[in-house]
Amino acid sequence: PLSSDPFRPEWHYSAGKNWLNDPNGLIHLNGTYHLFYQHNPSGDAWGNMSWGHSTSADLLHWEEQPVAISCDGNEAIFSGSVVFDPDNTSGFGTPGKPPLVAVYTSAYTDASPLRGRQAQSLAYSLDRGQTWTKYVGNPVLDRTSANFRDPKVFRYDGPAGSYWVMAAVEATDCVVVLYRSANLKDWEYLSSFGPANATGGDWECPDLFPLAVDGDPADTKWVLVVNLNPGGIAGGSGAQYFVGTFDGVHFRSETTVTEGLQPDGSRMPDYAWLDRGRDYYAAVSFNDAPGGRRIMIGWMNNWDYAGKTPTKGWRGAMSLAREVTLTRLPSGGVVLRQAAVGPFDGLDGAPDVRRISLGSRELHPGTVDLLAPDSDAAVGDAVSTAASAAARIDVEIEPGTAARVGLLLRTGGAERTVLAYDTATSRLSLDRRESGAVEFHEDFASVEDVHVPLDAGRLRLQVHLDACSVEVFAQDGLAVLTDLVFPAESSTGMALFAEGHGARVRTLDIRRR
Ligand code: FRU
């Protein structure tokens, strides 16, 4: 049973007890999604880094498993990945019993002869991830570097052959290094990528995967995800990505922005980011997700204040899982679109799900309280008695001539988190300055924003609320804003608002329990 805490998420994974950071070893095997993660088994602050473990059939309901790989006197177990080795290339299994192989970073302690170094090591499981054995030949890849970490290993099958590829970072150099292997034990250097685009901090937790642009296999591109801390777009930790090609040896970016002023005179080039909020970091994707889907999870946090968030007995949660696809914009650019693997998906009609819908209506200047509405709105009854803060809002708004439109979220007393669209600047902002507890860290109170062009005059938003988070997917996932918030448990109100005349709500759906 989870400790009771008003901030304990309902739909986001958090460890039953103690500290959690990066998702590790994301893999799907025989109908089960495995989520390993950076975990301190004995405290709610970062330390004793080990791999926690949780499993799920649907990416929404998680079952915590015993700690998978533990730190010892010689090494902390930093971030990495897991592969399924069906042909037993590693020799850790037997033909009838292929292994799961974890590739993790050994961060050597002062007690180790390798003190101060970070190198890549293996552990394997012959019981579908329940128990793990460290390989006696560790480390398997050592560059004598103090900042070589976060290996993402995947199977490459392409024109250049069929082998394991590892993407890892030389973090402080802002470089991704690529290696290949036939057996996961012997690694051959392939190439390096970077520095490029955002380099305002350490490069961490890379990922490299192919995706068909708009579903066309003949138009496949490779995406290189590079998490960055600090130097993220919203301050502190952030996740950037590059789109390009990978020939089995080199990743070549087609989205590297060269130095200098932008055409519009702005200084900060508009790099590609997975999320424009403050709390989506160390994002990586699942290996072997069914149907060739590419599903990512990030740590819903920011190193700026991760150690100070006001939770009790546990600290840190994952984002919702997000399916990513590549799409070509009318401008020709190829970008990622993200869709939450959504709470409430497929739950319409379930006895404990309350759904309200609002048809097309004018949005007058002012606010429409969605839980205790004015008479003509008449939407609130079904959701006002909701049992938790978790909710999903799907709304399509036509801002028209209004100056600002949007949603007030998690309202109650003086608390509110404001999601606003500014028609003059075409920017969508998420303002958590009055969201609840913000004073636990001086950098927490903030406003994030992102440029969001209207689509035929319309703004589509999908908003996921949970006990301590807001995730906003705009224009069907072309822009995403994720922020932690820590409101009172009773602040479950929500409202629509407009400043100025001429706005319309086309559709609105709220789902709660
Ligand atoms: C990213 C990170 C990784 C490292 C891990 C340690 O958040 O700093 O680079 O492997 O966390 O917990």
Side-chain angles (χ1 to χ4, degrees), residues 21-22 38 46 49 78-79 105 149-150 204-205 281-282 299 303:
N21 58 294
D22 313 357
Q38 289 287 283
W46 188 88
M49 295 321 296
F78 276 17
S79 288
T105 297
R149 60 179 180 265
D150 305 344
E204 298 186 318
C205 301
Y281 191 59
W299 176 42
W303 280 116

Side-chain angles (χ1 to χ4, degrees), residues 188-360:
E188 177 195 348
Y189 174 78
L190 290 175
S191 63
S192 298
F193 174 81
N197 288 4
T199 54
D202 283 2
W203 278 20
E204 298 186 318
C205 301
D207 197 0
L208 179 61
F209 50 81
L211 277 177
V213 179
D214 294 313
D216 176 5
D219 188 9
T220 293
K221 303 253 179 219
W222 286 73
V223 177
L224 178 68
V225 172
V226 179
N227 291 274
L228 171 73
N229 176 66
I233 181 69
S237 313
Q240 67 174 324
Y241 68 93
F242 299 85
V243 180
T245 60
F246 176 61
D247 60 8
V249 177
H250 294 99
F251 173 78
R252 292 189 177 84
S253 166
E254 296 168 355
T255 59
T256 297
V257 179
T258 46
E259 294 299 311
L261 283 184
Q262 293 307 102
D264 69 356
S266 67
R267 292 266 314 285
M268 176 78 163
D270 206 17
Y271 305 136
W273 299 91
L274 285 168
D275 200 297
R276 299 282 176 142
R278 294 206 72 195
D279 297 299
Y280 189 68
Y281 191 59
V284 286
S285 70
F286 279 87
N287 278 331
D288 306 341
R293 295 168 78 195
R294 188 56 59 173
I295 298 169
M296 303 187 73
I297 292 181
W299 176 42
M300 196 159 57
N301 220 325
N302 191 311
W303 280 116
D304 277 359
Y305 44 72
K308 301 273 190 216
T309 52
T311 56
K312 288 196 176 61
W314 64 280
R315 184 169 281 129
M318 296 299 174
S319 72
L320 291 175
R322 302 176 179 180
E323 178 166 6
V324 297
T325 51
L326 272 183
T327 191
R328 198 179 302 275
L329 298 175
S331 64
V334 174
V335 297
L336 282 178
R337 192 190 279 285
Q338 300 174 73
V341 176
F344 303 103
D345 277 356
L347 285 184
D348 286 347
D352 64 337
V353 173
R354 299 144 193 272
R355 176 174 175 187
I356 59 147
S357 301
L358 185 63
S360 183

Side-chain angles (χ1 to χ4, degrees), residues 429-451:
S429 61
L430 186 58
D431 180 347
R432 66 178 177 187
R433 289 173 300 177
E434 294 170 7
S435 58
V438 296
E439 66 295 332
F440 57 86
H441 192 282
E442 59 184 19
D443 290 336
F444 186 79
S446 62
V447 186
E448 283 63 63
D449 74 338
V450 55
H451 183 248

